Amino acid sequence: MSEATARTLEDHDPCTDMMVAGERLTCDWAGCLFWPDEETLIVSDLHLEKGSSFARKGQLVPPYDTGATLARLAQRLAVWQPKRVISLGDSFHDPEGHERLPENYLAQLSLLMDNREWIWISGNHDPAPPKDLGGKGASEMLIGNLTFRHEPSRGPMRGEISGHLHPCGKIVKRNRSVRRPCFVSDGSKMILPSFGAYTGGLNIRHSAFDGLFDQSRLSAVLLGNKRVFHIAARNLVA
């Protein structure tokens, strides 16, 4: 998508492309990233079994987060048909989360993983790969020009694809404000939105993002209802 056409609220395609370190990546409205040349789907911060983790601490929330997240993931896998899936850490909300998966969710996840390469990147919530679920665990992974890890690096890191911060972008238009999860990139590196249900977001104007990007080249792809909005960073507010 060209600079001239990429930055308006009137865009309403279900996905849009961004170039990162010379690689064309497709930002999907559901919050996943597809790399066509590698037939790879990337998701971040699934936080599976967050509801049951809260319940163990006496904080009761509806126990439907894992089912909702897996259902949405299954839908996007059916659309993109990737040969490889990379989950960028915090796939489970705590180190024992995979052990609490109910049998029906285990079966569903097994079907999603069947006949495709599956990479579990370590996160701060799940530093060790899940046991007995299949797939491969890694602290980070380098494929071609891109490096996949959970937490973004400070300063320049060409080709880095990460998650962790759950980025959101906020815009004000016609005296109304809209705040949505987003992909954020300066063309050199990218941070993905959280894919999991029951996960919050952090405005990209928060100090946690300071020093992560070249602000002069920064833009964000905000997620809408089955559509995306590619917005220049200068139009995003705190």
Side-chain angles (χ1 to χ4, degrees), residues 149 151-162 165 186-191 207-215 217:
R149 59 169 56 98
E151 296 192 33
S153 303
R154 293 287 167 184
M157 184 59 68
R158 180 173 169 80
E160 181 182 80
I161 308 295
S162 63
L165 292 177
D186 61 1
S188 180
K189 61 201 296 189
M190 174 185 280
I191 302 177
S207 59
F209 290 90
D210 290 351
L212 295 181
F213 295 104
D214 178 350
Q215 291 293 321
R217 302 176 59 213

Side-chain angles (χ1 to χ4, degrees), residues 176-192:
R176 295 180 59 190
S177 66
V178 177
R179 185 176 185 271
R180 300 293 300 169
C182 69
F183 300 86
V184 58
S185 177
D186 61 1
S188 180
K189 61 201 296 189
M190 174 185 280
I191 302 177
L192 271 64

Side-chain angles (χ1 to χ4, degrees), residues 2-200:
S2 71
E3 185 73 20
T5 62
R7 311 293 192 234
T8 71
L9 267 180
E10 283 66 38
D11 292 341
H12 49 78
D13 292 326
C15 58
T16 191
D17 291 344
M18 298 184 87
M19 298 297 296
V20 179
E23 301 290 347
R24 181 172 63 88
L25 306 174
T26 302
C27 303
D28 181 273
W29 68 268
C32 56
L33 185 70
F34 186 62
W35 187 4
D37 287 351
E38 290 288 333
E39 298 182 80
T40 296
L41 190 80
I42 305 104
V43 292
S44 189
D45 297 274
L46 300 177
H47 284 271
L48 299 174
E49 291 303 298
K50 182 174 182 177
S52 65
S53 182
F54 276 37
R56 294 171 74 191
K57 300 174 184 177
Q59 303 175 50
L60 298 183
V61 295
Y64 308 125
D65 57 303
T66 296
T69 300
L70 291 179
R72 192 164 76 258
L73 182 56
Q75 181 189 59
R76 304 330 290 163
L77 291 174
V79 169
W80 295 108
Q81 292 293 315
K83 292 184 177 179
R84 178 194 294 126
V85 172
I86 301 175
S87 185
L88 290 178
D90 286 3
S91 304
F92 293 86
H93 191 68
D94 61 64
E96 295 79 38
H98 63 281
E99 299 175 358
R100 298 196 306 276
L101 279 172
E103 288 295 328
N104 59 322
Y105 293 154
L106 278 170
Q108 187 175 1
L109 183 58
S110 179
L111 284 174
L112 299 183
M113 298 174 69
D114 191 36
N115 291 321
R116 55 173 50 101
E117 183 182 6
W118 199 284
I119 311 297
W120 302 105
I121 300 294
S122 299
N124 56 296
H125 281 258
D126 53 358
K131 299 176 182 177
D132 304 322
L133 290 185
K136 304 174 185 177
S139 58
E140 61 181 50
M141 175 162 285
L142 174 65
I143 304 174
N145 292 328
L146 302 181
T147 299
F148 300 91
R149 59 169 56 98
H150 180 60
E151 296 192 33
S153 303
R154 293 287 167 184
M157 184 59 68
R158 180 173 169 80
E160 181 182 80
I161 308 295
S162 63
H164 181 59
L165 292 177
H166 301 200
C168 285
K170 182 179 178 181
I171 54 177
V172 177
K173 188 175 179 66
R174 301 188 184 98
N175 296 319
R176 295 180 59 190
S177 66
V178 177
R179 185 176 185 271
R180 300 293 300 169
C182 69
F183 300 86
V184 58
S185 177
D186 61 1
S188 180
K189 61 201 296 189
M190 174 185 280
I191 302 177
L192 271 64
S194 170
F195 193 84
Y198 298 177
T199 52

